[in-house]
Amino acid sequence: MTETLDSAALDDRRPPREARRGPRVPRVHRAWLVAAVTFVTIIGGAAFNSLPGLLINPLHDEFGWSRGEIGLAVSIDMALYGLTAPFAAALMDRFGIRRVVAIALTMVAAGAVASVWMTASWQLMIYWGLLVGLGTGSMAMAFAATVTDRWFVTRRGLVTGILTAAGASGQLVFLPLCAWIVDQHGWRPASVTVALAALVVVPFVWLLMRDHPADVGLAPYGGEFVPKPAPARGAARRTVRVLFDAARTGPFWLLAGAFAICGASTNGLIRTHFVPFAHDNHMPIPVAASLLAVIGVFDIIGTIISGWLTDRFDARRLLAVYYALRGISLLFLPLLIGPDVRPPMIFFIVFYGLDWVATVPPTLALCREQYGEDSAIVFGWVLASHQVGAAVVAFLGGVARDAFGRYDVVWYAAGALCAMAALMSLVIRRRTAGAGAGLRRSP
């Protein structure tokens, strides 16, 4: 009888079911399903990023456009990709992840399909540059940061690494396929292929993605239940305010500057110009594209390992090591390239692949450390600098090829810039304890 009364009294002291929903943890937490959908979404959005390097020569041959003109269209795409990201993070706070990402995927598909009928270079800049740039920018790494921040408290570094690797996975899947399509059937079927890849992902996003753990009565993975906040109004105003606040701090400029060099030495240089560079050295385009896809394989491994390391070691030192090693590898590339794939070239592909976007988890970790609850938007602006750096080199790389007839000077310049990024990463000051959860206001 006493046990029954004690049990009843205990029941009276329990919080109501709605309040108890937070601690409920299923056998496989829903956060991992959301992360999986995010991974597939980024793959679908990344499909178009496989195309520019493959299409420089076909577009040059068919329309007579200079490599500088084509590079300008690619640079517009990359710049808008970066500049859209911070606004996309704020829009996700206002309208939800599902709506923003579904619209973005549709824009990517529209731009890819419309390019099939283009006849002038300005149309290339509209379809590739404007539509695809805005669409892919809305699914940029700020999307991964938003999902990670909402759904995970523990394992954030690991999940960031996995989601970052999704872009490389898209490269791994689509580069060899698109290279074969371009080689056998022309560039138009390849463009339609990536449009379909973007559209296929939309139903997965709409049916399986959820904006916040509270939508399904869960706490974030490894954390306590948090009610879903009200939609944040004034998304654009908040994004700009966060930029001005972050710009008053030294770490922002160091992170943005180093990440601009990161973009210049990856998306702007390797992704855009590696295939035409290899073709200049008599390597067949499908072989060069396959090497670029292999970079994606080791990119996945390297980024996941980097996420694991970021949970355990000083992110500043990790960044310095990553940038230094990347710079060294780029300095040697002109000596290794040739018509055949030889062991030194394979070593470069593996080495560079491990380092490709290994910089993302420690950069995002430093944004979280410095800027707290505004970190996703701040990282969006840092990513914007990444893409601006990529855009500049995508354009200047083409100009250099037109002017000098070869790419070698671009690789040497990129190697020197990476050394500068390593130094910039080391001098970032650690955030002092108890500085608060939001932006530091001190310069």
Side-chain angles (χ1 to χ4, degrees), residues 11 42 65 67 86 131 153 157 263 294 302 387 397:
D11 288 340
I42 295 173
W65 302 335
R67 291 175 176 83
L131 286 177
V153 173
V294 173
Q387 292 307 113

Side-chain angles (χ1 to χ4, degrees), residues 13 271 323 375 380 389:
R13 292 196 300 270
R271 178 169 285 167
Y323 285 127
S375 62

Side-chain angles (χ1 to χ4, degrees), residues 92 117 177 211 239 241 388:
M92 288 176 190
W117 292 283
L177 174 63
D211 293 330
T239 300
R241 175 186 59 77
V388 169

Side-chain angles (χ1 to χ4, degrees), residues 29 65 83 90 98 111 115 125 148 160 162 165 221 227 247 265-266 278 296 303 313 330 336 346 348 357 371 390:
H29 198 285
W65 302 335
L83 293 172
R98 288 196 302 172
S115 67
M125 295 172 193
T148 305
T160 300
I162 292 172
Y221 183 82
S265 57
T266 52
T303 307
F313 299 101
L330 290 173
L336 304 178
I346 295 175
F348 168 83
V357 286
Y371 304 111

Side-chain angles (χ1 to χ4, degrees), residues 314-374:
D314 187 340
R316 300 170 304 159
R317 295 181 181 179
L318 290 176
L319 283 177
V321 171
Y322 296 158
Y323 285 127
L325 293 177
R326 181 185 300 175
I328 292 170
S329 67
L330 290 173
L331 291 175
F332 279 96
L333 180 58
L335 304 176
L336 304 178
I337 198 71
D340 303 318
V341 180
R342 298 182 180 180
M345 189 63 200
I346 295 175
F347 178 78
F348 168 83
I349 294 297
V350 173
F351 187 84
Y352 186 87
L354 290 172
D355 190 79
W356 178 283
V357 286
T359 54
V360 172
T363 299
L364 183 50
L366 286 170
C367 285
R368 289 195 187 105
E369 176 186 309
Q370 297 287 336
Y371 304 111
E373 63 187 13
D374 292 315

